Amino acid sequence: MEENKKTEGYRVQEYHQPVKRYCRTLDLRDDAQLIARYREAHSEGKAWKEIINGIREVGILEMEMYIYENKVFMIVETPLDFDWDTAMARLATLPRQQEWEDYVAALQGCHEGMTSTDKWHLMERMFYLY
């Protein structure tokens, strides 16, 4: 079934307002066991509820993460008036957020103490089908 989703695509959220999208990426440590642990940490019901609640609390409407080998790509959709820097500064102060960042840092190509903003690199859109 999961293989079918890869070829059939993924349904996207519908909004009754215009939204904007942020695309970010990071590298995981190139180790199959650590990648499996990262997948598990982000599987349904495994991500800590405080983290999910914090993401919503700062105004993020939708977040998706895609993986290929040790590369992770994240798509974030927000209202038009969303300010990334302000939201991420606030997110970093919410309960268990830094604990989560340190937990996944062991699996990512980074180190403890880094915030989400430090780890995830903003991608530049280089093509858009008008």
Side-chain angles (χ1 to χ4, degrees):
M1 180 169 153
E2 192 62 32
E3 187 63 35
N4 280 347
K5 284 186 176 181
K6 289 179 187 176
T7 59
E8 292 178 11
Y10 300 90
R11 182 183 174 109
V12 297
Q13 185 71 19
E14 293 181 32
Y15 303 101
H16 300 290
Q17 64 180 342
V19 298
K20 60 183 174 181
R21 177 178 293 158
Y22 296 87
C23 299
R24 303 183 79 86
T25 189
L26 68 73
D27 291 334
L28 299 176
R29 298 189 192 280
D30 197 8
D31 177 300
Q33 289 181 326
L34 295 179
I35 292 169
R37 286 179 48 203
Y38 192 77
R39 283 177 171 273
E40 175 71 16
H42 290 86
S43 63
E44 190 171 339
K46 297 290 183 166
W48 303 349
K49 68 178 179 139
E50 298 91 344
I51 302 311
I52 301 301
N53 293 342
I55 290 168
R56 295 264 185 234
E57 187 177 321
V58 300
I60 293 172
L61 301 171
E62 183 81 18
M63 180 183 284
E64 297 177 280
M65 293 168 64
Y66 295 85
I67 188 167
Y68 178 74
E69 296 177 350
N70 71 320
K71 308 243 182 264
V72 181
F73 175 64
M74 178 171 62
I75 302 169
V76 176
E77 292 182 344
T78 69
L80 290 180
D81 63 352
F82 184 87
D83 179 87
W84 185 271
D85 293 334
T86 301
M88 292 303 106
R90 183 168 170 232
L91 183 65
T93 69
L94 295 179
R96 298 196 75 194
Q97 184 66 37
Q98 193 57 53
E99 182 184 353
W100 172 263
E101 297 298 348
D102 291 344
Y103 171 70
V104 293
L107 313 172
Q108 299 165 332
C110 59
H111 56 79
E112 280 190 28
M114 294 178 80
T115 66
S116 180
T117 299
D118 296 331
K119 300 176 190 185
W120 288 91
H121 306 284
L122 183 63
M123 299 179 76
E124 175 187 352
R125 180 166 69 183
M126 57 176 251
F127 175 79
Y128 180 73
L129 181 63
Y130 291 94

